Amino acid sequence: MLRKGILDNLHYSFREINGYNKDINIVISPREPGKTSNMWIDIFSNWLKNQEPWYILVRKHKEITEEYIDSIIQPHINKFFDDEVVAHYKKGSLDSGVCDVKITTKDITTPTLLFRIVSIHLTVKELKQQLIMGARGMFFDEYIIDPTTGEKYIQNEYKKIQEAYTTWRRGAPNGKKFKIYVCGNPYSLYNPLFMGLGVDVTKLKRDSFYVEDNYVIHWAVLKPELREWLLKQNPFYKFDEEYSNYALDGQAVNDSNIRLSKLPMNYSLNWIFRANKKYICVYQNNYHDALCDMYFCKFEDSIGSRRNVYCYDFNEMVEGCAVISREDKEKFARFKRAIQRNLVTFENIAVYYIIIEIYNFI
């Protein structure tokens, strides 16, 4: 049972986003509004009523550890409930990419499945094999990575989440919607999930909801009282403005210095790259002025059949597309120098991040 008086009105509640009743529910916010704790409160409260388990997604096998499981049970469940939950799992399964976590409580003595942790680094076939009959939903916490720390999204990440959801929803309890919840801090608004869903990130606004037919995104902010309290508790918020902008105000700080624009006059198409299943067109400034930007990059849905297209991944190969060779790289030397000198503008942040992937290859 939920401990009395432990919840307050300052921290995050999923009540409002649940009101949209969407299949896909995404919450991005600063640190510390309590997204994770409140998600586990909802999961465990529901489980106490009907023992419907959940899928918990992580990106890599190595994230599935005893410490990770304990970090769920102790601060997010036992802190808020008086049921004295004890986790039971096979330690030998921790390295396999799949781990079933069963629990007992002071009233439930037979270990019963609460959640299955699944690494999306598994193959699509392996992900499909993880179907649980009666599962209520999926939860992916800390989804958005910080690329400045060397973290990377995995190959075909959106497709794997998509395939997992499509298969696992078949086991949902009769008459109940199978939902996925994704939470994260907005280091950047570029990620595979937003790309795959076709999110127009220019329409994402802090303290507001972005709603489409099958999904909703809430860019939440801290309530003023909680923000003031946190400022008093953590000295890093006071002395590091950039960290405070991200951690307290929920700003996408990694995107703040990306130079965005529309296609300028007097630029002509120079190259076309293909990456992340997208065509990226690179336009060159026809006027060679050392003080002007040299290139502009944007997405195109379709291209002329006579155009050469370059890619660096065989999985991107389509008709008229060639993998970049060592000789080809010489063609892009000027473009690479322009990126180094910050003389390139971009249609949106997604184009920028894909161009950086290409830059690291050429």
Side-chain angles (χ1 to χ4, degrees):
M1 181 179 294
L2 191 64
R3 298 180 190 275
K4 293 182 179 179
I6 198 166
L7 297 181
D8 57 39
N9 293 322
L10 297 182
H11 289 82
Y12 190 79
S13 170
F14 285 85
R15 188 178 297 110
E16 192 170 3
I17 195 171
N18 285 337
Y20 290 92
N21 198 30
K22 300 297 183 181
D23 301 298
I24 303 169
N25 303 268
I26 304 169
V27 181
I28 59 175
S29 78
R31 294 178 57 86
E32 304 194 74
K35 302 184 299 298
T36 302
S37 290
N38 278 279
M39 187 69 221
W40 279 108
I41 288 171
D42 288 355
I43 289 173
F44 189 62
S45 295
N46 179 75
W47 185 90
L48 287 173
K49 297 175 184 176
N50 45 44
Q51 280 75 63
E52 294 170 348
W54 280 67
Y55 298 92
I56 306 303
L57 299 184
V58 296
R59 193 161 274 116
K60 297 179 180 179
H61 292 26
K62 66 180 182 181
E63 297 178 55
I64 307 175
T65 63
E66 295 180 60
E67 292 79 10
Y68 175 66
I69 295 170
D70 191 58
S71 74
I72 293 172
I73 300 299
Q74 298 307 325
H76 300 311
I77 296 180
N78 282 338
K79 177 181 177 179
F80 295 95
F81 294 84
D82 60 8
D83 294 85
E84 301 173 11
V85 171
V86 177
H88 304 266
Y89 52 91
K90 297 178 181 178
K91 293 184 179 180
S93 68
L94 294 174
D95 298 327
S96 69
V98 179
C99 182
D100 284 350
V101 178
K102 300 179 179 181
I103 64 169
T104 54
T105 72
K106 63 183 181 183
D107 299 316
I108 302 173
T109 57
T110 301
T112 307
L113 183 64
L114 174 59
F115 56 89
R116 172 173 290 176
I117 309 174
V118 182
S119 163
I120 60 170
H121 217 278
L122 294 171
T123 66
V124 170
K125 180 180 179 180
E126 290 169 331
L127 288 170
K128 290 180 177 180
Q129 293 171 346
Q130 305 311 316
L131 176 66
I132 306 171
M133 297 307 297
R136 186 62 184 274
M138 302 161 57
F139 179 38
F140 200 150
D141 198 16
E142 302 291 347
Y143 175 74
I144 299 175
I145 66 169
D146 182 359
T148 65
T149 64
E151 295 178 285
K152 292 183 179 180
Y153 294 104
I154 66 171
Q155 190 173 26
N156 295 322
E157 181 163 307
Y158 176 74
K159 180 181 179 181
K160 288 187 172 184
I161 295 173
Q162 184 182 45
E163 290 284 3
Y165 176 87
T166 301
T167 301
W168 298 347
R169 67 186 297 274
R170 297 170 187 163
N174 289 333
K176 295 183 179 180
K177 186 185 286 288
F178 184 81
K179 294 185 177 185
I180 177 172
Y181 289 82
V182 178
C183 293
N185 305 123
Y187 298 102
S188 168
L189 298 180
Y190 170 74
N191 60 74
L193 188 57
F194 284 8
M195 287 281 291
L197 292 173
V199 176
D200 183 352
V201 297
T202 63
K203 295 181 180 179
L204 289 174
K205 306 297 181 185
R206 295 173 66 251
D207 198 20
S208 64
F209 290 85
Y210 177 107
V211 185
E212 293 291 343
D213 290 342
N214 297 315
Y215 68 89
V216 55
I217 301 172
H218 185 196
W219 192 340
V221 297
L222 294 177
K223 292 187 177 180
E225 300 92 333
L226 180 58
R227 187 182 188 280
E228 289 302 314
W229 184 84
L230 290 169
L231 272 171
K232 296 176 182 177
Q233 302 300 313
N234 190 336
F236 285 107
Y237 296 151
K238 297 179 183 178
F239 304 118
D240 188 332
E241 182 177 356
E242 182 173 318
Y243 184 64
S244 179
N245 287 341
Y246 140 71
L248 279 184
D249 296 330
Q251 298 178 21
V253 292
N254 289 350
D255 301 338
S256 59
N257 294 321
I258 299 174
R259 303 184 61 222
L260 304 179
S261 77
K262 296 181 179 180
L263 178 61
M265 298 287 289
N266 301 311
Y267 276 57
S268 57
L269 181 60
N270 203 349
W271 302 297
I272 302 173
F273 294 105
R274 181 172 169 82
N276 289 15
K277 312 302 180 186
K278 300 277 189 180
Y279 290 109
I280 302 99
C281 292
V282 179
Y283 293 83
Q284 180 175 317
N285 190 346
N286 293 325
Y287 295 103
H288 300 288
D289 186 335
L291 299 178
C292 292
D293 293 323
M294 298 171 64
Y295 295 95
F296 171 80
C297 305
K298 70 186 299 287
F299 288 135
E300 291 289 358
D301 294 328
S302 60
I303 57 172
S305 58
R306 295 183 180 181
R307 291 287 183 179
N308 291 326
V309 180
Y310 300 93
C311 68
Y312 61 89
D313 186 341
F314 280 100
N315 293 322
E316 299 287 348
M317 289 287 286
V318 294
E319 185 177 355
C321 188
V323 174
I324 297 171
S325 66
R326 183 177 299 177
E327 291 75 21
D328 288 328
K329 291 183 180 183
E330 297 177 3
K331 302 177 184 178
F332 309 127
R334 188 168 182 264
F335 178 51
K336 192 168 185 176
R337 287 196 299 272
I339 295 174
Q340 294 168 345
R341 296 165 57 194
N342 201 25
L343 295 177
V344 182
T345 56
F346 305 88
E347 176 188 43
N348 57 48
I349 63 169
V351 177
Y352 167 82
Y353 284 106
I354 294 177
I355 285 293
I356 294 304
E357 291 179 21
I358 295 170
Y359 168 86
N360 291 328
F361 182 81
I362 61 175

